[in-house]
Amino acid sequence: MGDIKPPYSYASLICMAMKTNQHKMTLSSIYKWIKENFLYYRNADPSKSVGGGGVLRSGVKFNVIPETLESPYKDLFPAFDNKGLVRAEPGGFVYHQNFADNCHKIYNMKVRSDDVWIRTFPRSGTTWTSELAWLIMNDCNFEEAARVGLPIRSPNLDANYINHWDKFAAEGSFDSMDIITIDEIEKMPSPRVLKCHLPFDLLPPNLLDTAKVIYVARNPKDAIVSLFYFHKLVNLCTYTGDLETFVDYFINNQVLWTPYFGTVLDAWGKRSHPNLLILFYEDMKKDIRAQIKRISTFLNKPVTPEQIEKLVDHVRIEKFSKNESVNYAKEIKAGVGNDDPNNTFVRKGETGGWKNHFSPEVNRKIDEWIAKNLEGTDLKFVTELK
């Protein structure tokens, strides 16, 4: 272990290994953990970072957001146990401290040339697109798609770190959930269809030059509304307040996965890269057949007219929302979500639903926020479909 550099001593690295793995380790597994993780810790600055003091090789550091430790925030987001959220700098990405402890696992993943990575801001068509991409990559094997849950077939890399899942699962139910670790993802057979909500600077540096990446953007007004309902549904990030207050936290980058424009504009700026396909949620709503053809062409996986019609039928919102392979039914029943028929994981799939939620004052505030962030860019959003 002589190749592990300061500032961390072997003793402190052993302590980190034990803490990260809940103290259930043998000497050989401690040695293995240190060898796998020393790249993450060897450049760390313990005075500035959380989660064991790690920084990525990209120089990103994580710091606790002070406002998330105080009332009223901590009272409105009780799932975070008064420990708040952390912000990555540079970039400003906001997430749970559990991610800061484990982000190096994603950053150091081995990207394969036949990988397909789906990237989105949450509630922007992630499930929809990853199901289509998986089926296209697997010759429209609907039987396998029904047999194996989408979280296993197309795992979400950052979902494991939204909080500590085991704390919310009902007794004896944790092992029944479709949760897959980064180690297991590394061992998945090719081609892999992976998804995440992370910015490029928290992903493997060679991702875009190695694999196919599909980025899906949704207009921010509908994304805000859908993320609000997600926080009402999922106990891992429960929010007890009203929508107007949630909007304020959202546009001030104090909600999980914010800032919204950070990831969207980052992807938009790379849109000319041959390995990147940018889709818009609203285009998928308007003409799903055309977008299926674009995905198929991008992935070099032809689909027949008959297969296209089957795919269109498969993802119809009325059918898709009831599909237990994609709607996290097991996880919700296990206690990580609220079993509410009026608020399901796959919701309404609308464009323009924000009009039923925002007051004129809130809508004006959001319009100003959008205009400020899009100033000097050529990115435009469709917020209503006729």
Side-chain angles (χ1 to χ4, degrees):
M1 296 195 298
D3 53 358
I4 299 177
K5 310 294 185 193
Y8 286 105
S9 66
Y10 297 139
S12 60
L13 283 171
I14 289 171
C15 289
M16 287 178 204
M18 297 289 283
K19 179 181 177 182
T20 302
N21 294 275
Q22 300 179 328
H23 302 276
K24 300 175 181 177
M25 301 187 78
T26 63
L27 284 174
S28 60
S29 62
I30 289 172
Y31 174 75
K32 181 175 182 290
W33 185 93
I34 291 175
K35 286 201 70 175
E36 289 176 346
N37 293 280
F38 84 94
L39 279 173
Y40 173 62
Y41 289 108
R42 68 176 178 181
N43 297 315
D45 180 348
S47 68
K48 296 182 179 178
S49 307
V50 298
V55 296
L56 296 179
R57 283 175 290 172
S58 64
V60 175
K61 301 177 183 179
F62 294 87
N63 303 291
V64 176
I65 303 170
E67 295 86 351
T68 66
L69 300 174
E70 303 167 355
S71 295
Y73 190 97
K74 67 177 185 178
D75 307 311
L76 295 172
F77 292 90
F80 301 142
D81 289 335
N82 299 324
K83 295 178 181 177
L85 299 178
V86 297
R87 177 174 287 126
E89 296 295 352
F93 181 75
V94 174
Y95 215 47
H96 193 274
Q97 293 192 35
N98 191 27
F99 176 74
D101 289 336
N102 292 279
C103 59
H104 59 290
K105 297 177 182 178
I106 298 174
Y107 186 84
N108 294 325
M109 282 181 65
K110 295 177 181 176
V111 181
R112 304 176 194 169
S113 59
D114 57 359
D115 277 349
V116 179
W117 290 52
I118 314 294
R119 294 185 57 241
T120 69
F121 187 83
R123 316 305 293 167
S124 298
T126 321
T127 304
W128 193 9
T129 309
S130 58
E131 179 75 343
L132 285 172
W134 187 91
L135 283 165
I136 290 171
M137 289 297 293
N138 288 273
D139 302 317
C140 292
N141 190 340
F142 292 99
E143 293 76 17
E144 184 71 1
R147 188 182 71 82
V148 181
L150 184 63
I152 298 296
R153 291 184 284 113
S154 177
N156 186 323
L157 303 179
D158 53 281
N160 285 1
Y161 309 120
I162 185 175
N163 205 320
H164 298 281
W165 285 65
D166 53 337
K167 287 172 47 180
F168 294 86
E171 185 176 353
S173 64
F174 180 72
D175 291 339
S176 69
M177 295 190 289
D178 284 342
I179 297 176
I180 182 169
T181 67
I182 299 300
D183 286 343
E184 291 170 323
I185 292 171
E186 293 276 32
K187 298 173 185 175
M188 286 177 65
S190 293
R192 301 180 301 185
V193 178
L194 311 176
K195 55 179 175 272
C196 72
H197 306 306
L198 302 175
F200 273 114
D201 58 1
L202 295 177
L203 295 172
N206 65 334
L207 172 61
L208 198 52
D209 290 329
T210 306
K212 297 280 190 179
V213 178
I214 300 174
Y215 189 92
V216 190
R218 186 182 192 183
N219 82 79
K221 292 185 177 183
D222 283 321
I224 290 172
V225 171
S226 191
L227 191 63
F228 167 76
Y229 280 106
F230 178 84
H231 278 73
K232 292 292 186 180
L233 170 69
V234 178
N235 294 331
L236 297 163
C237 56
T238 298
Y239 172 71
T240 61
D242 58 27
L243 177 59
E244 184 172 351
T245 305
F246 185 84
V247 168
D248 286 337
Y249 284 130
F250 187 98
I251 65 178
N252 287 307
N253 302 328
Q254 294 174 337
V255 173
L256 291 169
W257 297 290
T258 57
Y260 168 86
F261 284 104
T263 54
V264 173
L265 289 175
D266 183 30
W268 185 246
K270 295 177 171 63
R271 63 190 181 279
S272 61
H273 197 289
N275 280 350
L276 177 63
L277 173 68
I278 293 186
L279 303 176
F280 286 92
Y281 186 97
E282 293 74 25
D283 290 339
M284 295 176 71
K285 287 292 297 181
K286 190 175 181 179
D287 190 350
I288 186 61
R289 289 174 180 82
Q291 302 310 308
I292 288 173
K293 291 176 183 176
R294 288 187 69 203
I295 296 171
S296 167
T297 300
F298 177 68
L299 299 179
N300 298 315
K301 290 287 290 185
V303 287
T304 66
E306 293 77 17
Q307 287 174 324
I308 290 176
E309 293 309 311
K310 287 182 179 180
L311 289 167
V312 171
D313 179 68
H314 182 72
V315 297
R316 280 189 302 109
I317 189 65
E318 302 84 1
K319 191 172 182 178
F320 205 51
S321 62
K322 298 174 184 176
N323 183 346
E324 293 199 356
S325 179
V326 303
N327 67 8
Y328 285 86
K330 284 195 288 187
E331 287 70 32
I332 290 171
K333 291 174 183 176
V336 299
N338 300 306
D339 196 0
D340 180 358
N342 297 315
N343 185 19
T344 54
F345 181 80
V346 179
R347 285 186 69 245
K348 298 182 178 181
E350 293 179 329
T351 293
W354 58 269
K355 293 185 294 182
N356 301 318
H357 292 83
F358 297 153
S359 68
E361 181 182 350
V362 169
N363 189 48
R364 185 164 49 251
K365 182 190 300 184
I366 295 173
D367 280 340
E368 292 173 356
W369 167 74
I370 293 173
K372 178 181 178 181
N373 281 278
L374 290 184
E375 186 177 0
T377 79
D378 57 354
L379 177 61
K380 292 180 173 58
F381 290 103
V382 173
T383 57
E384 299 179 54
L385 290 177
K386 297 179 181 179

